[in-house]
Amino acid sequence: MTVNVGIVIVIAVIALLLGAIGGFFLARKYMQDYLKKNPPVNEDMLRSMMMSMGQKPSEKKIRQMMQQMKNQK
């Protein structure tokens, strides 16, 4: 009834790799769904942030800021 130590190590490494790969894809799917439901920043958010800082945002300035954020990606 002795179990070969090499077989146990190989099975453990395979299980670890499968768990890491599965976890990566589950986390990736979760983040994609989360970002679809809660986009990072939109024009309304920019407008309210600028107003809270005491600035009166123009449409041109808001579009420029959105374009700059898109270009940074």
Side-chain angles (χ1 to χ4, degrees), residues 21-72:
I21 292 169
F24 170 77
F25 284 108
L26 285 173
R28 182 174 176 249
K29 176 76 171 133
Y30 172 78
M31 285 306 295
Q32 286 176 342
D33 290 344
Y34 178 81
L35 289 173
K36 281 182 187 174
K37 292 177 186 173
N38 304 307
V41 176
N42 59 22
E43 290 182 6
D44 293 331
M45 293 172 103
L46 270 178
R47 194 172 288 116
S48 65
M49 286 184 342
M50 291 177 74
M51 290 177 117
S52 70
M53 291 186 292
Q55 299 179 7
K56 181 153 175 50
S58 66
E59 286 300 314
K60 181 180 177 184
K61 184 151 185 143
I62 289 175
R63 284 195 169 81
Q64 284 176 343
M65 290 177 72
M66 286 298 292
Q67 190 62 39
Q68 286 175 351
M69 284 191 279
K70 286 179 184 176
N71 290 340
Q72 286 180 352

